[in-house]
Amino acid sequence: MINNLLNHKSIRKYKPDEIPEHVLKQILEAGTRASTTGNMQVYSIVVSKKNIIREKLWEAHFKQKMVLEAPVVLTFCADFNRFNKWCHLRKAVPGYDNFLSFITAAIDAILAAQNVAIAAEANGMGICYLGTTTYNADSIIKILQLPKFVVPITTLVMGHPNEAPGLTDRLPLEAVVHNDVYCDYGTAEIDNFYREKENLEFTKELLKINNKETLAQIFTDLRYTKKNNETFSKSFLEVIRNQGFLHSADCI
């Protein structure tokens, strides 16, 4: 299992073969065994296999081809809808219309998603996370008919790989691990930790194509700009509010 984790690769090209139902069920069951706050399991997984739904999700995910190629698209949602209804039916008054509860459910959803990813790869499947889920959460809510207190958090496409990419570079372990307390980074540490990434041939080509001086500028000027971050932050916050969270006396 450790080798599977160390050899994880994001797969963006898929064969049209369907995932056997018993394999998919086992993978999803592995997701339900993930750690969860208070054993509440305040998340849901929407499994989309029909072409008509995946085509709509393809639009919402900025027309990434893998959404159409992969036979299964899994949307992981923060979900207090089910838990709230259970509370009401059992003479309990839920107090989960707030930011902390949203974060609790979002963490549950992400933990379940990672378990599913690990189980999928252990079964020979390929997966890729779609970070676009929160960008167009409002559209995904309509497509998947999500009720109040349900917010899409992340998405996995899953299927039989039709490519064999190399491993993506990662920062060295000492860049992300702190012993006992957080040790802030000086210039020398930053230079050392990012040196390999900045000197990859792929990085050099990327800088040339985009006419940029540094890799950091690729992120700040092109991939994740301040303008887009602020726009999507505003829209996602509105989604969270519209779905029933942030209705308590939150300091937001």
Side-chain angles (χ1 to χ4, degrees), residues 80-99:
F80 256 105
N81 173 56
R82 180 182 62 250
F83 196 83
N84 285 345
K85 287 184 175 180
W86 176 64
C87 289
H88 286 301
L89 290 170
R90 297 298 183 267
K91 301 178 182 180
V93 181
Y96 309 116
D97 58 345
N98 46 68
F99 184 64

Side-chain angles (χ1 to χ4, degrees), residues 93-142:
V93 181
Y96 309 116
D97 58 345
N98 46 68
F99 184 64
L100 180 62
S101 296
F102 167 73
I103 292 296
T104 295
I107 291 171
D108 270 17
I110 292 169
L111 289 171
Q114 185 62 11
N115 257 34
V116 166
I118 294 169
E121 292 181 335
N123 277 276
M125 299 295 115
I127 63 97
C128 188
Y129 277 103
L130 301 182
T132 44
T133 307
T134 51
Y135 293 175
N136 279 329
D138 53 346
S139 296
I140 294 171
I141 285 170
K142 293 174 184 176

